[in-house]
Amino acid sequence: MAGKSARRVPEKTVPDRSWRARAGLDRTQRAREQVCSAGGADRRLVDVGGGDLRPASIVLRRTARGTRVAAVLRWSVDGRAISIPLGEVDRPTRAANLREGWKLAHVAGLLAETAIPAGSWASSPGSRKSMRANKPKDTKPELRLRSLLHRSGLRFRVSIRPLPSLRRTADVVFTKVKVAVFVDGCYWHGCPEHRSIPTTNRDFWMEKFERNKARDLETTRLLEQSGWKVLRIWEHVPAQEAARLVSETVAEARREAGTAG
């Protein structure tokens, strides 16, 4: 009848199969479910600072009214759980909704992916591209630098702790002359030229970046106090220039060692 509002049809409660985990799953089975839905173990990692990667999980929850399913990304650091809401998912099964949740996490730039775009020394200023360019080690800038150093006749060790008692890994290490080289990614280490801060969960990422910068400063200080020369090179520095800086630093260290001897 004209003038009367249409009757609102109540929404249906989402079925358990769209979000609830199967009963009786042990810890290994739950982890396998997350790996499968993420597309691989290396596709469910978050960087918690200093290149330290931790596995995350997608948690599915039914909303308060029971008519929607929400996805949350969760991981833990030092026993403290961190949860980031991702949004709603609307697939008919739990497996499909888990996959959708991982897609949301990747789009939001919350995961540290291992794939690096080809042909570029540095990642772009865009936060998602920068995250996609992130790897804990053997990045393209590191590989190019190592190749140039090796061709110049220098010999070194790769991805080791300069000080065994200090849990900090340098990218290129000259143990005899005590030179440690770090190739710092622009995004994670706060490059003033190329760093960008995601608009989603901005406070969380700001805190993460500040922790990374503080850790870098502490690492440099502790190594220098132990007699090491520390060289930090941004990933956007051209490979030839980076190799020249390293070669000059090693040569200086050798001269000082010879003088002391």
Side-chain angles (χ1 to χ4, degrees):
M1 182 180 296
K4 289 187 177 182
S5 59
R7 182 179 178 181
R8 184 174 182 179
V9 178
E11 294 183 89
K12 294 182 179 179
T13 301
V14 294
D16 286 353
R17 66 188 180 90
S18 66
W19 66 280
R20 191 186 294 277
R22 181 163 55 87
L25 293 180
D26 59 25
R27 184 174 181 177
T28 301
Q29 291 170 323
R30 291 197 299 269
R32 186 181 299 119
E33 179 188 45
Q34 294 290 335
V35 170
C36 291
S37 59
D42 61 342
R43 300 277 292 174
R44 56 176 297 218
L45 301 174
V46 295
D47 190 308
V48 298
D52 186 9
L53 303 180
R54 302 291 176 86
S57 297
I58 294 294
V59 178
L60 299 177
R61 297 172 177 168
R62 192 159 58 183
T63 59
R65 291 187 177 183
T67 58
R68 297 285 190 277
V69 176
V72 176
L73 185 70
R74 177 181 291 176
W75 67 94
S76 63
V77 179
D78 298 329
R80 180 169 63 96
I82 299 175
S83 298
I84 304 293
L86 299 172
E88 294 182 355
V89 289
D90 59 359
R91 302 300 181 183
T93 65
R94 173 179 170 82
N97 279 328
L98 285 175
R99 290 193 294 270
E100 288 299 306
W102 285 113
K103 289 179 183 179
L104 291 175
H106 279 283
V107 170
L110 297 173
L111 301 175
E113 301 182 15
T114 56
I116 296 181
S120 175
W121 167 273
S123 58
S124 71
S127 63
R128 186 160 182 262
K129 289 184 179 180
S130 297
M131 286 182 177
R132 282 187 165 181
N134 180 67
K135 288 176 69 176
K137 63 179 182 178
D138 293 337
T139 63
K140 283 199 171 183
E142 292 175 31
L143 294 175
R144 292 175 181 175
L145 173 60
R146 279 151 44 183
S147 176
L148 290 173
L149 293 176
H150 194 274
R151 284 193 297 182
S152 70
L154 293 175
R155 298 297 179 260
F156 45 84
R157 300 187 66 185
V158 175
S159 299
I160 66 167
R161 299 178 186 178
L163 295 176
S165 60
L166 181 64
R167 297 186 61 183
R168 309 291 167 84
T169 301
D171 300 310
V172 177
V173 181
F174 298 85
T175 54
K176 289 185 178 181
V177 292
K178 301 181 73 172
V179 173
V181 181
F182 297 83
V183 181
D184 290 337
C186 292
Y187 187 88
W188 294 113
H189 295 266
C191 169
E193 295 182 40
H194 300 130
R195 188 191 72 170
S196 60
I197 302 173
T199 55
T200 304
N201 302 311
R202 185 180 180 87
D203 291 342
F204 166 80
W205 291 111
M206 284 291 293
E207 181 183 352
K208 173 188 279 290
F209 297 148
E210 291 304 316
R211 287 201 309 268
N212 290 351
K213 291 166 65 176
R215 182 184 175 92
D216 291 342
L217 290 173
E218 181 189 43
T219 299
T220 299
R221 176 178 60 82
L222 292 174
L223 289 177
E224 289 178 342
Q225 288 176 351
S226 297
W228 284 77
K229 289 184 179 294
V230 179
L231 188 59
R232 289 192 171 274
I233 302 174
W234 290 116
E235 67 170 350
H236 67 258
V237 174
Q240 293 284 354
E241 181 180 345
R244 178 182 58 80
L245 291 172
V246 174
S247 297
E248 291 176 353
T249 303
V250 171
E252 179 184 359
R254 286 175 173 169
R255 288 193 298 269
E256 293 176 358
T259 302

